Amino acid sequence: MNTSYPWIKQSYSIYHAQQFPGETNPLTYFSLTDALIHHAANTEEPMLYFWPTEKLVFLGMIDTKMPYIEDALEVLKDHNYRYVSRNSGGLAVVSDPGILNFSMIFPEEGKQRLKINDAYERMHALVSETFRDYNIDIQAKEIPNSYCPGDYDLSINGRKIAGISQRRVKGGSAIMIYIGINGNQDERSYLIKDFYAQGIKGQEVKWDYPNIDPKVMTTVSQELGFEISVDQVIDLIIQVFERHGQVKQGPYTEDIIVNYQDEYQKMIRRNQKLLGPLFKEGVDEG
């Protein structure tokens, strides 16, 4: 990492979704993201937000446009995955205990919002620095035939380990990443491949959906040749910021809770609009 980057030499507050003082469900993660962006804007301080989940699929808006979306969602339910329509990124992404979901949240800098590509570059630089002692080269380029392909897919030896998205609202932005740390990536890939197969059933559609090839995706553990845990990677990320700046535990203030409640209602309305009666099934347990 270029340690001259001013963004790394700041004081960051750390937030973990598991420590949120209230009941959580699939809507929580994205509602809390927006609440933390507002808090960062108010305090003018950046944040680190860790939010690993149980078995859950984040749907993009375009996924909900499939002609047989109900059949597609049955695939997820048959494999005990809940689902939620997210307010960032493009297409479906799998989350489970072997996946790390992590966000860097920045207020506007000098009254200017962080440029889109600069934001992606920050996350690429951070992930490269996180694994610097493991002698792996992490590249940023689109990996076609992965699920949710994008220009800033992160890969090792040409196989995707992570995808990045952004959430940008007034006052700040979140750079959001999922990283496949361990677990069966083939099963995740086949899950989403079947999701699209059942949702489209060979029809011509207006939108572009990926033709998923499980061979183009992998996990960090698989590429390292030994198991590394999500908690270990969280520690490695925090150590990067400790080396170059400062970190402190962020409190869940009344300001955050109030904003969270507002954003939670927005997520409900979003999912009701996009999924209709299918929404509640995805959020409820079981």
Side-chain angles (χ1 to χ4, degrees):
M1 172 179 284
N2 182 344
T3 55
S4 66
Y5 290 149
W7 62 268
I8 198 69
K9 296 181 177 182
Q10 303 183 70
S11 176
Y12 286 78
S13 295
I14 301 175
Y15 290 87
H16 295 265
Q18 297 95 324
Q19 296 170 357
F20 181 71
E23 294 185 8
T24 62
N25 64 38
L27 298 172
T28 297
Y29 307 108
F30 298 96
S31 306
L32 187 51
T33 296
D34 280 11
L36 290 174
I37 295 174
H38 290 305
H39 191 61
N42 291 338
T43 61
E44 298 185 342
E45 293 184 353
M47 301 173 181
L48 310 178
Y49 170 41
F50 298 97
W51 44 293
T53 76
E54 296 302 317
K55 295 176 72 173
L56 178 61
V57 171
F58 307 140
L59 304 175
M61 181 183 69
I62 295 172
D63 294 313
T64 68
K65 307 295 185 184
M66 289 189 294
Y68 301 100
I69 180 61
E70 187 168 358
D71 291 346
L73 295 176
E74 282 296 326
V75 171
L76 306 184
K77 290 190 284 184
D78 287 346
H79 289 82
N80 298 313
Y81 277 85
R82 292 189 287 169
Y83 53 84
V84 64
S85 175
R86 57 184 171 141
N87 55 11
S88 67
L91 293 164
V93 170
V94 179
S95 184
D96 62 39
I99 301 289
L100 173 58
N101 302 299
F102 162 68
S103 304
M104 287 192 290
I105 298 173
F106 294 99
E108 291 180 350
E109 299 170 355
K111 302 300 181 183
Q112 291 187 336
R113 189 175 297 177
L114 185 61
K115 293 180 180 178
I116 291 175
N117 283 355
D118 289 346
Y120 284 129
E121 290 291 351
R122 288 186 184 187
M123 186 62 82
H124 179 207
L126 172 62
V127 175
S128 295
E129 178 74 0
T130 297
F131 296 109
R132 69 173 188 173
D133 293 335
Y134 291 91
N135 195 32
I136 51 177
D137 178 32
I138 297 177
Q139 296 187 323
K141 61 180 181 180
E142 181 173 338
I143 304 298
N145 303 121
S146 63
Y147 53 69
C148 196
D151 290 345
Y152 278 85
D153 293 337
L154 300 188
S155 59
I156 303 172
N157 298 320
R159 302 177 74 195
K160 182 173 176 176
I161 60 163
I164 310 174
S165 65
Q166 296 184 42
R167 174 66 173 161
R168 304 166 73 84
V169 299
K170 184 178 180 180
S173 57
I175 314 163
M176 310 162 73
I177 190 170
Y178 80 84
I179 311 174
I181 306 300
N182 58 52
N184 192 324
Q185 185 56 49
D186 282 353
E187 285 187 0
R188 297 175 185 128
S189 298
Y190 279 115
L191 174 73
I192 302 302
K193 186 179 181 70
D194 195 20
F195 169 76
Y196 286 124
Q198 294 303 313
I200 300 169
K201 299 186 190 295
Q203 280 197 12
E204 285 193 20
V205 290
K206 177 180 178 181
W207 310 99
D208 290 327
Y209 298 99
N211 180 20
I212 295 168
D213 178 1
K215 294 192 293 296
V216 306
M217 300 186 71
T218 186
T219 64
V220 174
S221 292
Q222 188 172 352
E223 293 305 302
L224 290 177
F226 59 86
E227 188 85 355
I228 188 169
S229 72
V230 168
D231 285 342
Q232 283 176 295
V233 176
I234 290 174
D235 288 342
L236 290 173
I237 290 171
I238 292 172
Q239 288 168 24
V240 172
F241 289 94
E242 289 175 332
R243 283 197 298 270
H244 301 296
Q246 297 179 347
V247 295
K248 59 185 177 182
Q249 192 64 42
Y252 280 103
T253 63
E254 182 179 355
D255 173 59
I256 293 174
I257 300 302
V258 169
N259 278 319
Y260 168 78
Q261 291 168 345
D262 289 342
E263 298 304 331
Y264 188 86
Q265 293 303 314
K266 291 178 185 177
M267 281 295 294
I268 289 177
R269 292 193 293 270
R270 175 187 179 83
N271 276 265
Q272 287 175 334
K273 179 179 179 180
L274 293 174
L275 293 169
L278 300 172
F279 157 56
K280 195 171 186 296
E281 296 179 35
V283 171
D284 285 347
E285 292 283 1

